[in-house]
Short mmCIF file of all heavy atoms in Angstrom, two decimals:
data_model
loop_
_atom_site.label_atom_id
_atom_site.label_comp_id
_atom_site.label_asym_id
_atom_site.label_seq_id
_atom_site.Cartn_x
_atom_site.Cartn_y
_atom_site.Cartn_z
N PHE A 12 -37.93 -81.79 53.79
CA PHE A 12 -37.84 -80.43 53.37
C PHE A 12 -38.65 -79.93 52.28
O PHE A 12 -38.92 -80.78 51.37
CB PHE A 12 -36.29 -80.15 52.97
CG PHE A 12 -35.36 -80.32 54.06
CD1 PHE A 12 -34.58 -81.38 54.16
CD2 PHE A 12 -35.17 -79.38 54.95
CE1 PHE A 12 -33.55 -81.61 55.08
CE2 PHE A 12 -34.20 -79.42 56.04
CZ PHE A 12 -33.43 -80.64 56.16
N ALA A 13 -39.26 -78.77 52.42
CA ALA A 13 -40.27 -78.29 51.36
C ALA A 13 -39.59 -78.20 50.09
O ALA A 13 -38.33 -77.85 49.99
CB ALA A 13 -40.85 -76.99 51.87
N SER A 14 -40.22 -78.43 49.01
CA SER A 14 -39.76 -78.27 47.70
C SER A 14 -39.50 -76.91 47.40
O SER A 14 -40.15 -75.98 47.90
CB SER A 14 -40.66 -78.92 46.62
OG SER A 14 -41.92 -78.21 46.62
N LEU A 15 -38.73 -76.60 46.36
CA LEU A 15 -38.55 -75.15 45.93
C LEU A 15 -39.81 -74.60 45.51
O LEU A 15 -40.02 -73.34 45.87
CB LEU A 15 -37.44 -75.09 44.83
CG LEU A 15 -37.05 -73.67 44.22
CD1 LEU A 15 -36.57 -72.81 45.30
CD2 LEU A 15 -36.13 -73.85 43.05
N GLN A 16 -40.65 -75.29 44.89
CA GLN A 16 -41.94 -74.70 44.40
C GLN A 16 -42.69 -74.33 45.58
O GLN A 16 -43.48 -73.33 45.61
CB GLN A 16 -42.71 -75.82 43.60
CG GLN A 16 -43.89 -75.31 42.94
CD GLN A 16 -44.62 -76.50 42.12
OE1 GLN A 16 -44.71 -77.55 42.68
NE2 GLN A 16 -45.01 -76.26 40.94
N THR A 17 -42.85 -75.18 46.64
CA THR A 17 -43.53 -74.82 47.95
C THR A 17 -42.92 -73.70 48.60
O THR A 17 -43.65 -72.71 48.95
CB THR A 17 -43.55 -76.00 48.74
OG1 THR A 17 -44.27 -77.15 48.21
CG2 THR A 17 -44.35 -75.69 50.09
N LEU A 18 -41.60 -73.50 48.68
CA LEU A 18 -40.99 -72.51 49.27
C LEU A 18 -41.33 -71.11 48.54
O LEU A 18 -41.55 -70.05 49.27
CB LEU A 18 -39.53 -72.48 49.30
CG LEU A 18 -39.10 -73.68 50.26
CD1 LEU A 18 -37.62 -73.88 50.13
CD2 LEU A 18 -39.32 -73.37 51.69
N CYS A 19 -41.28 -71.08 47.23
CA CYS A 19 -41.63 -69.93 46.43
C CYS A 19 -43.09 -69.52 46.62
O CYS A 19 -43.40 -68.30 46.87
CB CYS A 19 -41.46 -70.23 44.92
SG CYS A 19 -39.74 -70.48 44.42
N ARG A 20 -44.02 -70.52 46.79
CA ARG A 20 -45.40 -70.32 46.94
C ARG A 20 -45.61 -69.58 48.22
O ARG A 20 -46.27 -68.59 48.47
CB ARG A 20 -46.30 -71.60 46.89
CG ARG A 20 -47.68 -71.32 47.27
CD ARG A 20 -48.40 -72.61 47.17
NE ARG A 20 -47.97 -73.68 47.96
CZ ARG A 20 -48.10 -73.88 49.28
NH1 ARG A 20 -48.90 -72.87 49.89
NH2 ARG A 20 -47.66 -74.92 49.91
N GLN A 21 -44.93 -70.19 49.37
CA GLN A 21 -45.11 -69.60 50.68
C GLN A 21 -44.51 -68.13 50.79
O GLN A 21 -45.18 -67.26 51.51
CB GLN A 21 -44.42 -70.51 51.69
CG GLN A 21 -45.10 -71.96 51.89
CD GLN A 21 -44.35 -72.81 52.78
OE1 GLN A 21 -43.17 -72.62 53.00
NE2 GLN A 21 -44.90 -73.88 53.31
N ALA A 22 -43.42 -67.96 50.12
CA ALA A 22 -42.86 -66.59 50.21
C ALA A 22 -43.72 -65.55 49.54
O ALA A 22 -43.95 -64.43 49.92
CB ALA A 22 -41.46 -66.61 49.49
N ILE A 23 -44.30 -65.95 48.35
CA ILE A 23 -45.29 -65.06 47.62
C ILE A 23 -46.48 -64.79 48.47
O ILE A 23 -47.04 -63.60 48.77
CB ILE A 23 -45.55 -65.64 46.28
CG1 ILE A 23 -44.38 -65.68 45.38
CG2 ILE A 23 -46.77 -64.83 45.65
CD1 ILE A 23 -44.60 -66.45 44.15
N GLN A 24 -47.08 -65.80 49.05
CA GLN A 24 -48.40 -65.59 49.84
C GLN A 24 -48.20 -64.90 51.15
O GLN A 24 -49.08 -64.15 51.60
CB GLN A 24 -48.92 -67.13 50.14
CG GLN A 24 -49.30 -67.81 48.91
CD GLN A 24 -49.83 -69.16 49.30
OE1 GLN A 24 -49.42 -69.83 50.25
NE2 GLN A 24 -50.62 -69.77 48.51
N LYS A 25 -46.93 -64.89 51.68
CA LYS A 25 -46.65 -64.10 52.92
C LYS A 25 -46.64 -62.55 52.55
O LYS A 25 -46.85 -61.77 53.45
CB LYS A 25 -45.41 -64.43 53.52
CG LYS A 25 -45.52 -65.83 54.24
CD LYS A 25 -44.12 -66.10 54.77
CE LYS A 25 -44.14 -67.48 55.63
NZ LYS A 25 -42.85 -67.82 56.17
N ASN A 26 -46.51 -62.22 51.30
CA ASN A 26 -46.26 -60.76 50.94
C ASN A 26 -47.29 -60.26 50.17
O ASN A 26 -47.24 -59.17 49.46
CB ASN A 26 -44.96 -60.63 50.19
CG ASN A 26 -43.73 -60.88 51.04
OD1 ASN A 26 -43.32 -59.97 51.81
ND2 ASN A 26 -43.17 -62.09 51.07
N ILE A 27 -48.59 -60.83 50.09
CA ILE A 27 -49.77 -60.40 49.46
C ILE A 27 -50.83 -60.24 50.51
O ILE A 27 -50.95 -61.11 51.33
CB ILE A 27 -50.13 -61.11 48.21
CG1 ILE A 27 -50.39 -62.61 48.64
CG2 ILE A 27 -49.02 -61.05 47.14
CD1 ILE A 27 -50.87 -63.47 47.34
N VAL A 28 -51.81 -59.29 50.27
CA VAL A 28 -52.97 -59.24 51.04
C VAL A 28 -53.96 -60.38 50.97
O VAL A 28 -54.40 -60.88 51.90
CB VAL A 28 -53.77 -57.96 50.80
CG1 VAL A 28 -55.03 -57.91 51.54
CG2 VAL A 28 -52.82 -56.73 51.00
N HIS A 29 -54.11 -60.88 49.65
CA HIS A 29 -55.09 -61.95 49.39
C HIS A 29 -54.52 -62.64 48.11
O HIS A 29 -54.07 -61.89 47.17
CB HIS A 29 -56.45 -61.51 49.28
CG HIS A 29 -57.38 -62.60 49.05
ND1 HIS A 29 -57.99 -62.83 47.72
CD2 HIS A 29 -57.97 -63.49 49.86
CE1 HIS A 29 -58.89 -63.94 47.81
NE2 HIS A 29 -58.69 -64.35 49.10
N ARG A 30 -54.85 -63.82 47.88
CA ARG A 30 -54.32 -64.58 46.65
C ARG A 30 -54.83 -64.13 45.41
O ARG A 30 -54.23 -64.24 44.31
CB ARG A 30 -54.54 -66.00 46.86
CG ARG A 30 -56.00 -66.62 47.01
CD ARG A 30 -56.10 -67.89 47.33
NE ARG A 30 -57.22 -68.35 47.80
CZ ARG A 30 -57.89 -69.45 47.54
NH1 ARG A 30 -57.53 -70.07 46.41
NH2 ARG A 30 -59.03 -69.73 47.93
N MET A 31 -56.06 -63.32 45.39
CA MET A 31 -56.52 -62.73 44.17
C MET A 31 -55.66 -61.63 43.69
O MET A 31 -55.53 -61.30 42.58
CB MET A 31 -57.91 -62.28 44.36
CG MET A 31 -58.96 -63.35 44.72
SD MET A 31 -58.78 -64.75 43.50
CE MET A 31 -59.25 -63.92 42.07
N ALA A 32 -54.68 -60.94 44.64
CA ALA A 32 -53.85 -59.97 44.18
C ALA A 32 -52.64 -60.62 43.26
O ALA A 32 -51.98 -59.71 42.75
CB ALA A 32 -53.26 -59.28 45.38
N LEU A 33 -52.63 -61.79 43.21
CA LEU A 33 -51.62 -62.50 42.35
C LEU A 33 -51.84 -62.04 40.91
O LEU A 33 -50.78 -62.08 40.13
CB LEU A 33 -51.64 -63.98 42.44
CG LEU A 33 -51.16 -64.60 43.86
CD1 LEU A 33 -51.64 -66.04 43.94
CD2 LEU A 33 -49.70 -64.49 43.89
N ASP A 34 -53.02 -61.76 40.45
CA ASP A 34 -53.32 -61.44 39.13
C ASP A 34 -52.53 -60.10 38.66
O ASP A 34 -52.23 -60.03 37.44
CB ASP A 34 -54.76 -61.18 38.92
CG ASP A 34 -55.54 -62.47 38.97
OD1 ASP A 34 -54.99 -63.56 38.73
OD2 ASP A 34 -56.75 -62.51 39.47
N TRP A 35 -52.14 -59.26 39.59
CA TRP A 35 -51.51 -58.03 39.28
C TRP A 35 -49.94 -58.23 39.39
O TRP A 35 -49.18 -57.26 39.05
CB TRP A 35 -51.93 -57.00 40.18
CG TRP A 35 -53.32 -56.48 39.86
CD1 TRP A 35 -53.75 -55.52 38.97
CD2 TRP A 35 -54.49 -56.88 40.52
NE1 TRP A 35 -55.00 -55.43 38.99
CE2 TRP A 35 -55.56 -56.28 39.86
CE3 TRP A 35 -54.82 -57.79 41.48
CZ2 TRP A 35 -56.89 -56.39 40.14
CZ3 TRP A 35 -56.11 -57.92 41.84
CH2 TRP A 35 -57.18 -57.43 41.26
N LEU A 36 -49.48 -59.39 39.74
CA LEU A 36 -48.05 -59.56 39.83
C LEU A 36 -47.49 -60.02 38.34
O LEU A 36 -48.08 -60.84 37.74
CB LEU A 36 -47.70 -60.57 40.83
CG LEU A 36 -48.15 -60.23 42.42
CD1 LEU A 36 -47.72 -61.33 43.32
CD2 LEU A 36 -47.39 -58.94 42.86
N GLU A 37 -46.32 -59.67 38.16
CA GLU A 37 -45.67 -60.13 36.88
C GLU A 37 -44.92 -61.48 37.28
O GLU A 37 -43.73 -61.47 37.40
CB GLU A 37 -44.56 -59.09 36.41
CG GLU A 37 -45.29 -57.84 35.99
CD GLU A 37 -44.22 -56.82 35.42
OE1 GLU A 37 -43.01 -57.26 35.50
OE2 GLU A 37 -44.62 -55.76 35.10
N LEU A 38 -45.76 -62.51 37.25
CA LEU A 38 -45.27 -63.95 37.47
C LEU A 38 -45.77 -64.79 36.42
O LEU A 38 -46.73 -64.50 35.75
CB LEU A 38 -45.85 -64.40 38.91
CG LEU A 38 -45.33 -63.65 40.02
CD1 LEU A 38 -46.14 -64.24 41.26
CD2 LEU A 38 -43.82 -63.89 40.29
N PRO A 39 -45.15 -65.89 36.18
CA PRO A 39 -45.55 -66.90 35.14
C PRO A 39 -46.97 -67.38 35.59
O PRO A 39 -47.37 -67.52 36.71
CB PRO A 39 -44.52 -67.99 35.28
CG PRO A 39 -43.23 -67.36 35.86
CD PRO A 39 -43.82 -66.35 36.79
#
C-alpha cells in the first residue's frame, strides 16, 4: 500500500497542469 506521503503527492499531481504550478499553491 502506498504511503500517505505518496498518496498526497499523487492527489496533488493529478489536479495541476504541471508540477511548476506547485509554486502557486499554499502548501508546505
Side-chain angles (χ1 to χ4, degrees):
F12 292 107
S14 65
L15 180 59
Q16 189 181 42
T17 297
L18 292 174
C19 288
R20 172 178 61 80
Q21 292 174 342
I23 293 170
Q24 290 174 339
K25 285 180 180 178
N26 290 281
I27 58 175
V28 176
H29 182 258
R30 55 190 166 128
M31 296 310 296
L33 289 164
D34 291 332
W35 287 276
L36 297 180
E37 295 183 0
L38 295 172

